[in-house]
Amino acid sequence: MAGTLTLSTKTSPFPWAAAAIATYTEKAELSFDESASGVTLDFEGSKITDEAEIVRTLAKAGGLSDESTKTQTYFELAKTLPKVTAVPAILTSLDSLDDYLAFRTFLVGHDITAADFIVWGALKASVKLIGLLKNNKHVHLSRWYSYIEALDSTQLAQTSFIEAKASKARSNKTAASFALGLQNAKEGEVVTRFPPEPSGYLHIGHAKAAMLNQYFAKMYKGKLIIRFDDTNPTKERTEFEETILEDLSLLDVHGDILTHTSDYFDKLYELALQLIKEGKAYADDTEQAQMRDERFKGIASKHRDDGVEDNLKHFAEMKTGSEEGVRWCVRAKMSVDNPNKALRDPVIYRCNLLHHHRTGDKWKVYPTYDFACPVVDSIEGVTHALRTNEYRDRNPQYYWMIEALGLRPVHIWDFSRLNFIYTLLSKRKLHWFVDSGLVRGWDDPRFPTVRGIRRRGLTVEALRQFMLAQGPSQAIVSLEWDTLWTLNKKIIDPIAPRFWAIEKEGIVPVKVNGGPTTPEVKTLPKHKKNPDVGEKKTVFASQLLIEQEDALSFEDQEEVTLMDWGNAIVRKKNLDDSGKVISIEVDLHLEGDFRKTKKKITWLAAPTPEHPLIDATLLDYDYLITKKKLEENDELKDFVTPETEFREEVYADANIVDLKKVPGRQARVHSYS
């Protein structure tokens, strides 16, 4: 390495072009420093802070530099494109690039240059541009972009970015505490709990809580309680308990104990009576809207100072579920006007006449989560309650309940709620997508549910590493999915078997002169770098099929590499009147050097009765919504992405018939070179 490229993961937009060309040319080592502002290249005694100039310098040092006027044009485009906000103007630029790349592999000349890296970096750094590319309207540009992205050097740059981000999380103050462990924790005595409400499917936000709770329980050789918070008969059903347990199993989260808040309804009722008798709670029949207004303004309820006997009488009436009883609720007597509004006499018991899925019709009154959670945590022996910091205002309330009832104290450990851009975690909004038929169900790969992300191909290990890298950070940020998927690819890359598929539309037959007179079957590794993955049967024949996109890129007499076979020289390319390739003829040239060819081509032997191909569908997806983060007043239907599923019909390598479905997952296809 001749130089050092210093970057910060916090830089926005991130200088992807500089990072990628540094790893490609091997002329600068990546050094992540979170205190750095912008990007700096220390190279041969000079410091360069302009990304475009950094790319030029490293390109020149690596022998890639091309100072043609075309190169300068692309540097200007990379500078202006991310600043364009009008979608039609962006599409015009993308259309122009797509047209230009229709018959070209690279932007300038016949080899990769600085122009390719600077434009790729501009696209990579813009979520909007990537989103438009995913619409599959720019096939040539997408092919070029994917090629740069799939380079080993580019993957190294992305992996380095992820690892640096994880290191940053572990090195800041909050995450340093996380690395050290839980407050006052003792090995063998730690008890954590994951308390989902059995009213829906778990999503990736729940996954973080579940995995952190299990992580700490295992770290201290303690116990994890899975507790269903079943205090609201309106929403809860037994089948949701079953699906949640299945979701946890998909995450490889397994509790040591399974409980329900309803196991403690009798005890909770007794403790509510205790609070009333001690003057720490009272019955109230104030209308809900008025109560909300009074709490906001710091006005005491007219019943706040009612006597204990009256309060007990009303609570008894509530328990019967009578017409009079349902008008009332019970409120904790904390404060009227505390600046923390969560402490302004919150409701701790209310009526609900619906049938409870576990206790039937025994109860007509149910504790609120704010009352039940600290009580049951204490009773069950929980030592550390991990909660997202959206509950932080309620933490004093949690402690008040325990202290007022004289219960064993519990430590609270806050961490930030997990948010992703262009992603909805609201059950109500996700329900709307299901009910509207915009997705196929709660396990749709476009959904952020545990079932959805697992079906899309996310590994538990990637999710675990990602969650632990976030740790109990207090920062409330919207994360990018690309970070998680890049980490996932890093995990599966060494073990994923490789299979081939050819797009049916525009498929091109290829005659191979010098090929076998009859099809031959050879055994090849499913993964060239990992023989443990297994072997596959590959058919070699004199009649092949390749994709139209590859065929269009061939030049007359060009030498290309047929993957897993060897080189071939293009002798004839036949086009129809529209310019579409209808057939190709090549001469096999196995003595050729694959390192000197620019194009490595995926192919399949033309099908025969003895060696058929398999019909398959490749799926890709876009975000369900068009806005990074919906605001409270945004109308969901106004931000629905028009098309979010993209299907590509292909002929696939016959070896895929031996694939076995992994529970909770569908095949996820990654592009590998």
Side-chain angles (χ1 to χ4, degrees):
M1 292 285 183
T4 301
L5 186 69
T6 303
L7 320 98
S8 167
T9 60
K10 295 183 291 186
T11 302
S12 182
F14 186 76
W16 283 112
I21 200 167
T23 53
Y24 184 84
T25 61
E26 298 184 352
K27 294 299 180 182
E29 185 177 21
L30 301 188
S31 174
F32 286 90
D33 179 357
E34 297 310 311
S35 64
S37 58
V39 57
T40 303
L41 174 65
D42 287 294
F43 190 78
E44 295 182 349
S46 300
K47 284 186 182 291
I48 307 170
T49 57
D50 178 71
E51 185 183 17
E53 192 56 37
I54 290 171
V55 172
R56 286 191 182 95
T57 300
L58 293 176
K60 186 174 182 180
L64 309 184
S65 183
D66 184 328
E67 295 303 327
S68 71
T69 53
K70 278 186 181 179
T71 300
Q72 184 56 35
T73 301
Y74 288 119
F75 270 76
E76 289 299 323
L77 176 65
K79 185 177 179 180
T80 58
L81 189 55
K83 298 176 183 177
V84 180
T85 55
V87 172
I90 296 173
L91 289 174
T92 298
S93 295
L94 297 184
D95 290 344
S96 177
L97 283 169
D98 191 63
D99 291 342
Y100 182 78
L101 286 165
F103 300 101
R104 295 172 178 85
T105 305
F106 302 110
L107 293 176
V108 178
H110 300 292
D111 291 297
I112 197 166
T113 66
D116 295 291
F117 282 107
I118 198 71
V119 175
W120 176 84
L123 295 174
K124 173 72 175 174
S126 170
V127 174
K128 178 181 281 189
L129 293 174
I130 294 299
L132 291 171
L133 267 185
K134 283 186 177 179
N135 288 332
N136 284 354
K137 304 297 184 186
H138 303 90
V139 292
H140 309 299
L141 179 58
S142 294
R143 178 253 308 155
W144 167 86
Y145 179 89
S146 297
Y147 174 81
I148 308 292
E149 178 112 323
L151 291 171
D152 288 344
S153 54
T154 308
Q155 291 294 307
L156 174 61
Q158 294 185 96
T159 302
S160 300
F161 175 84
I162 292 170
E163 290 175 346
K165 216 166 187 180
S167 297
K168 179 194 74 172
R170 286 191 289 271
S171 65
N172 66 30
K173 187 175 180 181
T174 302
S177 301
F178 168 63
L180 291 172
L182 294 172
Q183 177 188 5
N184 298 326
K186 295 179 181 178
E187 188 169 300
E189 296 181 15
V190 167
V191 179
T192 61
R193 89 293 192 259
F194 176 62
E197 182 184 32
S199 60
Y201 295 82
L202 296 187
H203 57 57
I204 193 165
H206 299 122
K208 178 177 181 178
M211 297 178 96
L212 283 178
N213 273 289
Q214 176 167 269
Y215 174 81
F216 281 123
K218 286 186 174 181
M219 174 191 281
Y220 290 102
K221 298 182 174 61
K223 293 180 180 178
L224 168 64
I225 298 171
I226 305 296
R227 181 201 309 145
F228 287 109
D229 176 50
D230 54 345
T231 58
N232 186 356
T234 305
K235 298 180 179 180
E236 296 148 5
R237 298 202 299 269
T238 301
E239 54 263 39
F240 281 130
E241 293 189 7
E242 296 166 356
T243 58
I244 286 171
L245 290 175
E246 290 170 2
D247 288 346
L248 289 173
S249 180
L250 290 175
L251 292 171
D252 200 22
V253 172
H254 306 281
D256 299 287
I257 307 167
L258 178 65
T259 68
H260 296 74
T261 300
S262 57
D263 297 337
Y264 304 94
F265 278 172
D266 289 292
K267 182 65 176 177
L268 287 160
Y269 181 75
E270 291 173 14
L271 292 173
L273 285 174
Q274 178 183 323
L275 287 180
I276 293 173
K277 290 174 182 177
E278 293 176 356
K280 297 175 183 176
Y282 61 95
D284 192 4
D285 68 347
T286 303
E287 291 287 338
Q288 187 178 34
Q290 182 183 340
M291 185 187 297
R292 187 182 299 116
D293 185 62
E294 288 178 352
R295 290 188 72 206
F296 181 80
K297 294 176 179 176
I299 299 171
S301 165
K302 62 181 181 291
H303 292 293
R304 193 171 199 272
D305 294 321
D306 285 358
V308 170
E309 292 305 316
D310 282 341
N311 289 322
L312 289 173
K313 182 184 71 173
H314 291 308
F315 193 32
E317 194 69 31
M318 286 173 61
K319 189 181 179 186
T320 68
S322 67
E323 187 175 344
E324 171 64 17
V326 297
R327 292 178 48 245
W328 294 79
C329 67
V330 174
R331 299 173 66 180
K333 201 170 184 179
M334 291 186 188
S335 173
V336 172
D337 55 3
N338 192 295
N340 181 351
K341 293 183 176 65
L343 297 179
R344 294 184 182 181
D345 292 3
V347 173
I348 62 171
Y349 253 92
R350 76 284 198 218
C351 285
N352 191 322
L353 305 185
L354 294 178
H355 182 86
H356 189 281
H357 69 284
R358 291 191 77 241
T359 61
D361 298 314
K362 176 181 177 180
W363 294 98
K364 309 297 181 185
V365 287
Y366 294 92
T368 61
Y369 177 83
D370 289 335
F371 178 62
C373 182
V375 169
V376 179
D377 280 352
S378 183
I379 292 173
E380 287 192 331
V382 172
T383 59
H384 295 81
L386 275 65
R387 289 155 62 104
T388 56
N389 53 17
E390 63 189 305
Y391 286 104
R392 180 166 291 166
D393 285 349
R394 297 186 185 185
N395 287 353
Q397 186 190 88
Y398 182 103
Y399 291 130
W400 186 94
M401 301 290 184
I402 287 177
E403 186 176 341
L405 291 165
L407 299 174
R408 179 190 60 81
V410 179
H411 295 293
I412 291 178
W413 188 269
D414 286 340
F415 61 92
S416 63
R417 176 188 166 109
L418 195 63
N419 295 306
F420 283 90
I421 59 171
Y422 299 105
T423 302
L424 301 169
L425 296 181
S426 159
K427 286 181 187 175
R428 178 179 61 83
K429 291 173 181 174
L430 293 176
H431 255 295
W432 182 84
F433 272 96
V434 174
D435 296 342
S436 301
L438 295 171
V439 294
R440 292 190 172 84
W442 289 91
D443 63 348
D444 192 288
R446 289 163 286 190
F447 255 19
T449 53
V450 168
R451 290 165 183 244
I453 59 177
R454 288 285 284 140
R455 278 195 70 203
R456 196 160 179 173
L458 191 68
T459 61
V460 171
E461 181 56 29
L463 194 56
R464 182 183 294 114
Q465 287 188 23
F466 184 79
M467 299 301 178
L468 296 180
Q470 303 302 314
S473 165
Q474 303 301 313
I476 301 173
V477 294
S478 290
L479 303 167
E480 295 196 23
W481 283 99
D482 283 356
T483 307
L484 182 52
W485 287 119
T486 301
L487 179 61
N488 193 61
K489 185 173 180 179
K490 179 184 174 185
I491 289 168
I492 66 173
D493 181 74
I495 58 172
R498 271 59 166 170
F499 301 103
W500 289 351
I502 302 294
E503 185 180 4
K504 289 182 179 179
E505 186 177 349
I507 201 164
V508 179
V510 180
K511 180 183 178 183
V512 182
N513 298 320
T517 53
T518 58
E520 297 176 0
V521 180
K522 296 181 181 179
T523 300
L524 297 176
K526 290 179 180 176
H527 191 309
K528 290 180 182 178
K529 297 179 181 178
N530 185 359
D532 292 339
V533 173
E535 296 179 330
K536 62 181 179 180
K537 303 291 185 184
T538 299
V539 180
F540 294 79
S542 57
Q543 297 293 327
L544 307 181
L545 300 175
I546 66 171
E547 292 191 343
Q548 181 73 207
E549 186 178 313
D550 287 329
L552 280 169
S553 74
F554 291 168
E555 297 175 12
D556 188 39
Q557 308 305 311
E558 181 180 9
E559 188 164 356
V560 299
T561 298
L562 300 173
M563 299 275 285
D564 284 351
W565 194 348
N567 286 7
I569 299 172
V570 179
R571 296 304 188 193
K572 190 183 295 185
K573 184 164 76 170
N574 300 310
L575 310 177
D576 64 15
D577 293 340
S578 67
K580 187 177 177 181
V581 181
I582 54 176
S583 67
I584 280 180
E585 188 172 326
V586 302
D587 289 347
L588 209 56
H589 185 233
L590 297 182
E591 60 272 25
D593 188 349
F594 72 90
R595 290 170 296 186
K596 293 182 179 179
T597 60
K598 297 171 192 166
K599 295 163 189 169
K600 319 296 188 215
I601 306 303
T602 301
W603 54 273
L604 289 173
T608 64
E610 296 80 16
H611 304 292
L613 295 176
I614 307 300
D615 292 322
T617 303
L618 304 184
L619 295 164
D620 196 11
Y621 301 99
D622 197 359
Y623 298 117
L624 289 171
I625 57 174
T626 58
K627 189 175 180 181
K628 277 189 177 183
K629 181 178 183 294
L630 290 187
E631 304 302 329
E632 193 172 330
N633 296 325
D634 285 340
E635 189 66 43
L636 176 57
K637 61 182 176 59
D638 295 337
F639 296 93
V640 175
T641 307
E643 187 177 7
T644 57
E645 182 180 79
F646 306 96
R647 305 173 72 88
E648 187 178 339
E649 300 304 321
V650 298
Y651 289 119
D653 175 349
N655 291 282
I656 69 167
V657 297
D658 297 324
L659 291 174
K660 292 180 174 57
K661 183 179 178 182
V662 177
R665 292 175 63 185
Q666 68 181 33
R668 177 171 173 82
V669 178
H670 296 267
S671 297
Y672 295 95
S673 55

